[in-house]
């Protein structure tokens, strides 16, 4: 009876595919929405809500391109669309004073934090899909290898821990910004709010990179120790 071989090392990444996918995601899901939103609001006098809805078309286009390219709608694209829907819904609720808009921005990041924590109850947490999106080149071999890592307890625990940290930090960030929106004057808050948003994101990204490297090194160390112990046991003379 034949047994399917289990791939123990990651497949060679397609540099071109990875680069194209990353550039498209950054351009269409990050840069284009910001440029579109600012252009419509600052240069054409659109309302924030209308500009936000229009700028949200770019990530949808990114998802459509990826679906056509990969022949599947991955979970990252679904999460992106859900987040856009949450953002649009929050932007349409209540008054549109400057303070209200600042509070709404905080509510969006807070809802993202809640989304992270909610996925801890799902079969796989949110950071698993983020890791698969940005940690592979999107090819079937790369995705299959990443999916197969889920069978390792250490990998599962790491994904859940990262998701927990992202969720808690974003809830704290949202709460702090909401409080500051009422404590500080509007001009000061408008100035520091972007630094809080991108500072939190940058800090979490840096922590995640270091955490992944440390976890990977610890996993390789345990695997080597287990292999050495198995080899010693196999070489031991029978009693």
């Amino acid at each position: 009876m034949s047994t399917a071989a289990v791939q123990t090392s990651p497949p060679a990444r397609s540099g071109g595919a990875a680069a194209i996918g990353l550039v498209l995601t950054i351009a269409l899901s990050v840069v284009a929405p910001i440029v579109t939103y600012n252009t419509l609001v600052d240069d054409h006098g659109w309302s924030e809500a209308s500009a936000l809805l229009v700028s949200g078309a770019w990530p949808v286009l990114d998802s459509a391109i990826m679906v056509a390219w990969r022949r599947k709608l991955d979970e990252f694209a679904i999460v992106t669309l859900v987040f856009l829907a949450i953002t649009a819904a929050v932007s349409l609720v209540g008054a549109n004073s400057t303070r209200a808009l600042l509070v709404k921005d905080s509510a969006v990041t807070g809802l993202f934090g809640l989304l992270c924590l909610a996925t801890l109850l799902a079969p796989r947490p949110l950071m698993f899909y983020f890791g698969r999106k940005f940690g592979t080149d999107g090819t079937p071999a790369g995705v299959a290898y990443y999916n197969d890592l889920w069978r390792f307890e250490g990998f599962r625990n790491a994904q859940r821990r990262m998701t927990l940290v992202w969720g808690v930090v974003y809830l704290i960030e949202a709460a702090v910004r909401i409080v500051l929106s009422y404590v500080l004057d509007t001009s000061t808050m408008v100035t520091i709010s972007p630094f809080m948003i991108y500072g939190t994101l940058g800090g979490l990204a840096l922590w995640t990179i270091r955490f992944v490297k440390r976890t990977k090194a610890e996993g390789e160390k345990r695997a080597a120790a287990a292999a050495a112990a198995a080899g010693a046991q196999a070489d031991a003379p029978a009693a």
Side-chain angles (χ1 to χ4, degrees):
M1 181 175 63
S2 61
T3 302
V6 176
Q7 187 170 356
T8 58
S9 59
R13 295 186 62 172
S14 171
I20 292 173
L22 183 59
V23 169
L24 277 175
T25 296
I26 293 176
L28 296 178
S29 294
V30 180
V31 177
I34 293 174
V35 172
T36 301
Y37 176 86
N38 290 332
T39 300
L40 292 177
V41 171
D42 297 339
D43 298 340
H44 299 283
W46 285 44
S47 67
E48 282 91 355
S50 299
L52 185 60
L53 290 173
V54 172
S55 62
W58 291 108
V60 174
L61 177 61
D62 176 41
S63 298
I65 293 174
M66 289 303 171
V67 168
W69 186 9
R70 306 296 186 195
R71 302 295 182 182
K72 63 176 294 188
L73 180 65
D74 64 16
E75 293 82 357
F76 181 85
I78 295 173
V79 170
T80 300
L81 296 177
V82 170
F83 188 67
L84 284 171
I86 292 174
T87 304
V90 170
S91 70
L92 295 172
V93 174
N96 285 322
S97 66
T98 304
R99 175 169 285 130
L101 290 173
L102 290 171
V103 172
K104 288 178 183 181
D105 286 342
S106 304
V108 170
T109 56
L111 287 171
F112 178 75
L114 288 176
L115 178 62
C116 288
L117 298 182
T119 62
L120 292 173
L121 302 176
R124 298 184 183 186
L126 186 60
M127 285 302 116
F128 171 85
Y129 302 108
F130 275 62
R132 191 175 65 184
K133 172 70 174 180
F134 296 105
T136 72
D137 56 8
T139 59
V143 169
Y145 171 78
Y146 191 87
N147 288 341
D148 186 60
L149 292 175
W150 188 253
R151 63 193 173 93
F152 298 109
E153 181 180 3
F155 180 82
R156 297 194 300 271
N157 291 338
Q159 298 302 312
R160 294 189 177 107
R161 185 178 302 177
M162 286 189 293
T163 303
L164 176 64
V165 169
W166 276 69
V168 170
V169 168
Y170 264 113
L171 283 177
I172 294 174
E173 184 266 354
V176 170
R177 278 205 293 140
I178 289 175
V179 171
L180 290 180
S181 296
Y182 288 94
V183 173
L184 301 177
D185 61 86
T186 301
S187 60
T188 301
M189 193 58 203
V190 168
T191 301
I192 69 173
S193 184
F195 290 98
M196 294 184 66
I197 295 173
Y198 294 109
T200 300
L201 177 60
L204 282 171
L206 179 61
W207 173 83
T208 300
I209 292 171
R210 297 181 65 179
F211 177 75
V212 168
K213 288 182 178 180
R214 184 173 69 251
T215 302
K216 182 179 179 181
E218 292 172 354
E220 291 174 344
K221 184 177 180 180
R222 287 194 298 269
Q233 184 177 5
D235 294 337

